[in-house]
Amino acid sequence: MAPDETQALWLEFAEDKTNRALRDRLILTYAPLVKYVAGRLGSGLPAHVEEGDLVSYGLLGLIGAIERYDPGRDIKFETYAIARIKGAIIDELRAMDWVPRSVRARARHIERAMADLEARLHRAPTDAEIASKLGIEVDELEDSLTEIARSSIAALDELWTISSSGGDQVALIDTIEDTQGPEPQSALAQTELKEALGESIARLPEREKLVVTLYYYEELTLREIGQVLGVTESRVSQLHTKAILRLKARLAGAGSRPAGGDSPRSP
């Protein structure tokens, strides 16, 4: 469908959101977005999770996005819809609770070890230092990172709270929904989180920073990133998982400090 036709369709649907024929035409127009998001998320999931199921979950998110989208807002529908589609898929997978508790616990232990070491060393800890802190060998740490990566779906799409006192939740990358027009407090929280995230990414070890940049901003697959770095796809997956756990630890630390403190921000 040509851009002008799509715009006309949006304007017509905005005037009559009960028109199912118009809604169905929009669903067909943007259905490839669901396939794209499902493919991206599915690449890191266990083999028993079918991509067809992810597409079904994502389709519900697309329908919700179409019904709630305001074409008068200064945001592309694709950007808005991708966030809704991802959210719908992730919510459904979380409801299924398919990730073993042992894997979740291991991820929390590694995350806490990274945070403790970074606070003490004032730099990103090495694999050997993290393994020593956990009382395991480096090989065991790498195996754990691989297992966490296989069961991880949230990554930078996960919702975060900007402060420890129950502030607004925003995604690390995507634009959040705004159903009531501009809300300065929410916008400020999102801006602060993006700034903290940007600073934290800039302080990642070089290879982890490159993986994050290539995966989330250049949209390369893990296999393609492996070709760029000259390492295996499994190693890229480990680097990605370490980066995410490190970012979570830093942002959690940033959110727990009192507001207005004298110390500089160091997520």
Side-chain angles (χ1 to χ4, degrees):
M1 185 179 294
D4 290 345
E5 294 178 6
T6 303
Q7 182 64 21
L9 184 59
W10 272 118
L11 294 175
E12 191 176 353
F13 182 65
E15 295 177 359
D16 182 13
K17 294 207 170 185
T18 63
N19 191 320
R20 296 183 65 86
L22 293 175
R23 190 197 69 167
D24 290 347
R25 287 175 62 189
L26 287 169
I27 291 172
L28 290 174
T29 299
Y30 292 103
L33 282 179
V34 178
K35 181 75 171 177
Y36 165 76
V37 174
R40 291 276 290 176
L41 290 178
S43 63
L45 298 180
H48 70 269
V49 180
E50 299 289 341
E51 185 173 321
D53 291 337
L54 301 184
V55 170
S56 297
Y57 309 148
L59 188 58
L60 296 176
L62 174 63
I63 293 172
I66 289 172
E67 292 176 343
R68 292 170 176 79
Y69 179 65
D70 178 3
R73 293 176 58 190
D74 188 21
I75 180 174
K76 291 180 62 178
F77 175 74
E78 289 84 351
T79 302
Y80 174 77
I82 284 175
R84 300 279 305 189
I85 293 166
K86 286 179 180 177
I89 294 174
I90 290 171
D91 285 346
E92 186 62 31
L93 289 172
R94 283 175 175 160
M96 293 165 58
D97 196 24
W98 55 269
V99 180
R101 290 185 179 180
S102 61
V103 176
R104 292 187 188 277
R106 210 173 311 160
R108 289 194 296 269
H109 291 157
I110 295 173
E111 182 184 331
R112 283 197 293 267
M114 286 179 168
D116 291 346
L117 286 169
E118 184 154 328
R120 180 161 57 86
L121 301 172
H122 304 292
R123 60 171 172 78
T126 65
D127 287 6
E129 289 167 337
I130 297 170
S132 177
K133 173 76 172 177
L134 294 169
I136 60 177
E137 299 295 328
V138 173
D139 288 347
E140 293 179 69
L141 173 63
E142 292 180 349
D143 289 343
S144 292
L145 291 171
T146 298
E147 191 171 357
I148 293 167
R150 287 172 180 164
S151 63
S152 175
I153 60 168
L156 292 182
D157 307 308
E158 186 171 352
L159 291 176
W160 291 81
T161 301
I162 193 64
S163 73
S164 59
S165 58
D168 294 323
Q169 285 191 319
V170 293
L172 296 183
I173 292 292
D174 297 311
T175 304
I176 61 172
E177 179 185 11
D178 179 8
T179 59
Q180 303 295 329
E183 295 182 4
Q185 185 176 359
S186 176
L188 177 61
Q190 184 181 9
T191 299
E192 289 177 348
L193 182 57
K194 285 185 175 180
E195 290 176 355
L197 176 63
E199 292 174 7
S200 295
I201 290 175
R203 291 173 50 210
L204 287 173
E206 283 303 317
R207 288 166 75 82
E208 292 176 28
K209 179 166 60 177
L210 184 57
V211 167
V212 168
T213 301
L214 293 177
Y215 187 77
Y216 290 100
Y217 295 96
E218 301 299 328
E219 299 189 347
L220 269 63
T221 65
L222 297 182
R223 181 174 299 175
E224 290 169 338
I225 296 172
Q227 293 172 351
V228 172
L229 297 180
V231 298
T232 65
E233 183 177 348
S234 175
R235 181 55 182 159
V236 175
S237 180
Q238 292 173 0
L239 290 169
H240 172 264
T241 301
K242 277 201 300 181
I244 297 307
L245 292 176
R246 205 186 302 276
L247 290 172
K248 288 178 67 177
R250 288 179 180 175
L251 291 173
S256 63
R257 286 193 300 275
D262 293 332
S263 61
R265 178 188 297 169
S266 56

